[in-house]
Coordinates of all heavy atoms in Angstrom, one line a residue:
R1 N 17.9 -64.5 203.7 CA 16.8 -65.3 204.1 C 15.9 -65.4 202.8 O 15.8 -64.6 202.0 CB 16.0 -64.7 205.2 CG 16.7 -64.8 206.6 CD 16.0 -63.9 207.6 NE 16.4 -62.4 207.4 CZ 15.9 -61.5 208.2 NH1 15.1 -61.8 209.2 NH2 16.3 -60.2 207.9
K2 N 15.3 -66.6 202.7 CA 14.4 -66.8 201.6 C 13.1 -65.9 201.7 O 12.5 -65.9 202.7 CB 13.9 -68.3 201.6 CG 13.2 -68.7 200.3 CD 13.0 -70.2 200.3 CE 12.4 -70.6 198.9 NZ 12.4 -72.1 198.8
G3 N 12.9 -65.1 200.6 CA 11.7 -64.3 200.6 C 11.8 -63.1 201.4 O 10.8 -62.3 201.6
V4 N 13.0 -62.7 201.9 CA 13.2 -61.5 202.8 C 14.3 -60.7 202.1 O 15.3 -61.3 201.6 CB 13.6 -61.9 204.2 CG1 13.8 -60.6 205.0 CG2 12.5 -62.7 204.8
E5 N 14.1 -59.4 202.1 CA 15.2 -58.6 201.5 C 16.5 -58.7 202.2 O 16.6 -58.7 203.5 CB 14.7 -57.1 201.6 CG 15.7 -56.1 200.9 CD 15.2 -54.7 200.9 OE1 14.0 -54.4 201.3 OE2 16.0 -53.8 200.5
T6 N 17.5 -58.8 201.5 CA 18.8 -59.1 202.0 C 19.4 -57.8 202.7 O 19.3 -56.7 202.1 CB 19.8 -59.5 200.9 OG1 19.3 -60.7 200.3 CG2 21.2 -59.8 201.4
E7 N 20.1 -58.0 203.8 CA 20.8 -56.9 204.5 C 22.3 -57.2 204.3 O 22.7 -58.3 204.1 CB 20.5 -57.0 206.0 CG 19.0 -56.6 206.3 CD 18.8 -56.7 207.8 OE1 19.5 -55.9 208.5 OE2 18.0 -57.4 208.3
V8 N 23.1 -56.1 204.3 CA 24.5 -56.3 204.1 C 25.3 -55.4 205.1 O 24.9 -54.3 205.5 CB 24.9 -55.9 202.6 CG1 24.7 -54.4 202.3 CG2 26.4 -56.3 202.3
F9 N 26.4 -56.0 205.6 CA 27.3 -55.3 206.5 C 28.7 -55.3 206.0 O 29.1 -56.3 205.3 CB 27.2 -56.0 207.9 CG 25.8 -56.3 208.3 CD1 25.2 -57.6 208.1 CD2 25.0 -55.3 209.0 CE1 23.9 -57.9 208.5 CE2 23.7 -55.6 209.3 CZ 23.2 -56.9 209.1
Y10 N 29.5 -54.3 206.3 CA 30.8 -54.1 205.7 C 31.9 -54.2 206.8 O 31.7 -53.8 208.0 CB 30.9 -52.8 204.9 CG 29.9 -52.7 203.8 CD1 29.1 -51.6 203.6 CD2 29.7 -53.8 203.0 CE1 28.2 -51.5 202.6 CE2 28.8 -53.7 201.9 CZ 28.0 -52.5 201.8 OH 27.1 -52.4 200.7
K11 N 33.0 -54.6 206.3 CA 34.2 -54.7 207.2 C 34.8 -53.3 207.6 O 34.9 -52.5 206.7 CB 35.3 -55.6 206.5 CG 36.5 -56.0 207.4 CD 37.3 -57.0 206.6 CE 38.5 -57.4 207.5 NZ 39.3 -58.5 206.8
W12 N 35.1 -53.2 208.8 CA 35.7 -51.9 209.3 C 37.2 -51.8 209.1 O 37.7 -50.8 208.5 CB 35.4 -51.7 210.8 CG 34.1 -51.2 211.1 CD1 32.8 -51.7 210.9 CD2 33.8 -49.9 211.6 NE1 31.8 -50.9 211.3 CE2 32.4 -49.7 211.8 CE3 34.6 -48.8 212.1 CZ2 31.8 -48.6 212.3 CZ3 34.0 -47.6 212.6 CH2 32.6 -47.6 212.7
L13 N 37.9 -52.7 209.5 CA 39.4 -52.7 209.6 C 40.0 -53.5 208.5 O 39.8 -54.8 208.5 CB 39.9 -53.1 211.0 CG 39.3 -52.4 212.2 CD1 39.8 -53.0 213.5 CD2 39.5 -50.9 212.1
L14 N 40.8 -52.9 207.6 CA 41.3 -53.6 206.4 C 42.8 -53.8 206.6 O 43.5 -52.8 206.4 CB 41.0 -52.7 205.2 CG 39.4 -52.4 205.0 CD1 39.3 -51.5 203.8 CD2 38.6 -53.7 204.8
P15 N 43.2 -54.9 206.8 CA 44.6 -55.2 207.0 C 45.5 -55.1 205.8 O 45.1 -55.5 204.7 CB 44.7 -56.7 207.5 CG 43.5 -57.3 206.9 CD 42.4 -56.2 206.9
T16 N 46.6 -54.4 205.9 CA 47.6 -54.3 204.9 C 48.9 -54.6 205.5 O 49.7 -53.7 205.7 CB 47.5 -52.9 204.2 OG1 46.2 -52.7 203.7 CG2 48.4 -52.8 203.0
Y17 N 49.2 -55.8 205.8 CA 50.5 -56.3 206.3 C 50.6 -57.8 206.0 O 49.6 -58.4 205.8 CB 50.6 -56.0 207.8 CG 49.6 -56.6 208.7 CD1 49.7 -57.9 209.2 CD2 48.4 -56.0 209.0 CE1 48.7 -58.5 210.0 CE2 47.4 -56.5 209.7 CZ 47.6 -57.8 210.2 OH 46.6 -58.4 211.0
D18 N 51.9 -58.3 206.1 CA 52.1 -59.7 205.8 C 51.4 -60.1 204.6 O 51.6 -59.5 203.5 CB 51.8 -60.5 207.0 CG 52.3 -62.0 206.9 OD1 53.5 -62.1 206.4 OD2 51.6 -62.9 207.3
V19 N 50.5 -61.1 204.6 CA 49.9 -61.6 203.4 C 48.6 -60.8 203.0 O 48.0 -61.2 202.0 CB 49.5 -63.1 203.5 CG1 50.7 -64.0 203.8 CG2 48.5 -63.3 204.7
F20 N 48.3 -59.9 203.8 CA 47.0 -59.1 203.6 C 47.3 -57.8 202.8 O 48.2 -57.1 203.1 CB 46.3 -58.8 204.9 CG 46.2 -60.0 205.8 CD1 47.0 -60.2 207.0 CD2 45.3 -61.0 205.5 CE1 46.8 -61.2 207.8 CE2 45.1 -62.1 206.4 CZ 45.9 -62.2 207.5
D21 N 46.3 -57.5 201.9 CA 46.4 -56.3 201.1 C 45.1 -55.8 200.8 O 44.8 -55.4 199.6 CB 47.2 -56.6 199.8 CG 47.8 -55.4 199.2 OD1 47.7 -54.3 199.8 OD2 48.4 -55.5 198.1
E22 N 44.2 -55.7 201.8 CA 42.8 -55.4 201.6 C 42.6 -53.9 201.2 O 41.6 -53.6 200.5 CB 42.0 -55.8 202.8 CG 42.0 -57.3 203.0 CD 40.9 -57.7 203.9 OE1 39.9 -57.1 204.0 OE2 41.1 -58.8 204.6
Q23 N 43.4 -53.0 201.6 CA 43.2 -51.6 201.2 C 43.5 -51.4 199.7 O 43.2 -50.3 199.2 CB 44.1 -50.7 202.0 CG 43.7 -50.6 203.5 CD 44.5 -49.7 204.3 OE1 45.0 -48.7 203.9 NE2 44.8 -50.1 205.6
R24 N 44.0 -52.3 199.1 CA 44.1 -52.3 197.6 C 42.8 -52.4 196.9 O 42.6 -51.9 195.7 CB 45.0 -53.6 197.2 CG 45.3 -53.7 195.7 CD 46.1 -55.0 195.5 NE 46.4 -55.3 194.1 CZ 47.5 -54.9 193.4 NH1 48.3 -54.1 194.0 NH2 47.7 -55.3 192.1
Y25 N 41.8 -53.0 197.6 CA 40.5 -53.3 196.9 C 39.3 -52.6 197.6 O 38.4 -52.1 197.0 CB 40.2 -54.8 196.8 CG 41.4 -55.6 196.4 CD1 42.1 -56.3 197.3 CD2 41.8 -55.7 195.1 CE1 43.2 -57.1 196.9 CE2 42.9 -56.5 194.7 CZ 43.6 -57.2 195.6 OH 44.7 -57.9 195.3
F26 N 39.3 -52.6 199.0 CA 38.1 -52.4 199.7 C 38.1 -51.0 200.3 O 39.1 -50.5 200.7 CB 37.9 -53.4 200.8 CG 37.7 -54.8 200.3 CD1 38.7 -55.8 200.7 CD2 36.7 -55.2 199.4 CE1 38.5 -57.1 200.2 CE2 36.6 -56.5 199.0 CZ 37.5 -57.4 199.4
E27 N 36.9 -50.5 200.5 CA 36.6 -49.3 201.3 C 36.1 -49.8 202.7 O 35.2 -50.6 202.7 CB 35.6 -48.4 200.6 CG 35.4 -47.0 201.2 CD 36.7 -46.1 201.1 OE1 37.6 -46.5 200.4 OE2 36.7 -45.1 201.8
P28 N 36.5 -49.1 203.8 CA 36.0 -49.6 205.1 C 34.6 -49.2 205.4 O 34.1 -48.2 204.8 CB 37.0 -49.0 206.0 CG 37.5 -47.7 205.3 CD 37.6 -48.1 203.9
A29 N 34.0 -49.9 206.3 CA 32.7 -49.5 206.8 C 32.7 -48.2 207.5 O 33.7 -47.8 208.1 CB 32.1 -50.6 207.7
D30 N 31.5 -47.6 207.5 CA 31.3 -46.3 208.3 C 30.0 -46.4 209.1 O 29.6 -45.3 209.6 CB 31.4 -45.1 207.4 CG 30.4 -45.2 206.2 OD1 29.5 -46.1 206.3 OD2 30.5 -44.4 205.3
T31 N 29.4 -47.5 209.2 CA 28.2 -47.6 210.1 C 28.4 -48.9 211.0 O 29.1 -49.8 210.7 CB 26.9 -47.9 209.2 OG1 27.2 -49.0 208.3 CG2 26.7 -46.7 208.3
V32 N 27.6 -48.8 212.1 CA 27.7 -49.9 213.1 C 26.9 -51.2 212.5 O 25.8 -51.0 212.0 CB 27.1 -49.5 214.4 CG1 27.2 -50.6 215.4 CG2 27.8 -48.2 214.9
N33 N 27.6 -52.3 212.7 CA 27.0 -53.5 212.1 C 26.3 -54.4 213.1 O 26.9 -55.0 214.0 CB 28.1 -54.4 211.5 CG 28.8 -53.7 210.3 OD1 28.1 -53.0 209.5 ND2 30.1 -53.9 210.1
Y34 N 25.0 -54.5 213.0 CA 24.2 -55.3 213.8 C 22.8 -55.6 213.2 O 22.4 -54.9 212.3 CB 24.0 -54.7 215.2 CG 23.1 -53.5 215.3 CD1 21.8 -53.6 215.5 CD2 23.7 -52.2 215.0 CE1 20.9 -52.5 215.5 CE2 22.9 -51.1 215.0 CZ 21.5 -51.2 215.2 OH 20.7 -50.1 215.2
F35 N 22.2 -56.7 213.6 CA 20.9 -57.0 213.1 C 20.1 -57.8 214.3 O 20.7 -58.4 215.2 CB 20.9 -57.9 211.9 CG 21.5 -59.2 212.0 CD1 20.7 -60.3 212.3 CD2 22.9 -59.5 211.9 CE1 21.2 -61.6 212.4 CE2 23.4 -60.7 212.0 CZ 22.6 -61.8 212.3
D36 N 18.8 -57.7 214.1 CA 17.9 -58.4 215.1 C 17.3 -59.6 214.3 O 16.8 -59.5 213.2 CB 16.8 -57.5 215.6 CG 17.3 -56.3 216.3 OD1 18.3 -56.5 217.1 OD2 16.8 -55.2 216.2
F37 N 17.3 -60.8 215.1 CA 16.7 -62.0 214.5 C 16.2 -62.8 215.6 O 16.9 -63.2 216.5 CB 17.8 -62.8 213.7 CG 17.3 -64.0 213.0 CD1 16.4 -64.0 212.0 CD2 17.8 -65.2 213.4 CE1 15.9 -65.1 211.4 CE2 17.4 -66.4 212.8 CZ 16.4 -66.3 211.8
K38 N 14.9 -63.0 215.5 CA 14.2 -63.9 216.5 C 14.4 -63.4 218.0 O 14.7 -64.3 218.8 CB 14.5 -65.3 216.3 CG 14.1 -65.8 214.9 CD 14.0 -67.3 214.7 CE 13.4 -67.7 213.4 NZ 13.2 -69.1 213.1
G39 N 14.4 -62.1 218.1 CA 14.5 -61.6 219.5 C 15.9 -61.5 220.1 O 16.1 -61.1 221.2
V40 N 16.9 -61.7 219.2 CA 18.3 -61.6 219.6 C 19.0 -60.5 218.7 O 18.8 -60.5 217.5 CB 19.0 -62.9 219.5 CG1 20.5 -62.8 219.9 CG2 18.4 -64.0 220.3
R41 N 19.8 -59.7 219.3 CA 20.5 -58.7 218.5 C 22.0 -59.2 218.4 O 22.7 -59.4 219.4 CB 20.5 -57.3 219.2 CG 21.4 -56.3 218.5 CD 20.9 -54.8 218.9 NE 19.6 -54.5 218.3 CZ 19.1 -53.3 218.4 NH1 19.7 -52.3 219.0 NH2 17.9 -53.1 217.9
F42 N 22.4 -59.3 217.1 CA 23.7 -59.9 216.8 C 24.6 -58.8 216.3 O 24.2 -58.0 215.3 CB 23.6 -60.9 215.7 CG 22.9 -62.2 216.2 CD1 21.6 -62.4 216.0 CD2 23.6 -63.2 216.8 CE1 20.9 -63.6 216.4 CE2 23.0 -64.4 217.2 CZ 21.6 -64.5 217.0
G43 N 25.8 -58.6 216.9 CA 26.8 -57.7 216.3 C 27.6 -58.5 215.3 O 27.9 -59.6 215.4
V44 N 28.0 -57.8 214.2 CA 28.7 -58.4 213.1 C 30.1 -57.8 212.9 O 30.2 -56.6 212.8 CB 27.9 -58.3 211.8 CG1 28.7 -58.9 210.6 CG2 26.5 -58.8 211.9
T45 N 31.1 -58.6 213.0 CA 32.4 -58.3 212.7 C 33.0 -59.2 211.7 O 32.6 -60.4 211.5 CB 33.3 -58.3 213.9 OG1 33.3 -59.6 214.5 CG2 32.8 -57.3 215.0
I46 N 34.0 -58.7 210.9 CA 34.6 -59.5 209.9 C 36.2 -59.6 210.2 O 36.8 -58.5 210.1 CB 34.4 -59.0 208.5 CG1 32.9 -58.9 208.2 CG2 35.1 -59.8 207.4 CD1 32.5 -58.3 206.9
C47 N 36.6 -60.7 210.6 CA 38.0 -61.0 210.8 C 38.8 -60.0 211.5 O 38.6 -59.8 212.8 CB 38.7 -61.3 209.4 SG 40.2 -62.4 209.6
E48 N 39.5 -59.1 210.9 CA 40.4 -58.1 211.5 C 39.6 -57.1 212.4 O 40.2 -56.6 213.3 CB 41.1 -57.3 210.4 CG 42.2 -56.4 210.9 CD 43.5 -57.1 211.1 OE1 43.5 -58.3 211.0 OE2 44.5 -56.4 211.4

């Protein structure tokens, strides 16, 4: 958001099969991903 400190969330499940090879690069998340915005709580997931 403009003028607001950035928040960041990380992917939990890292696929390593078929065309995916994410454990080659990434470390999985270890915290629950959610944020509040304008009175709504959003859960965040990334693909897998």
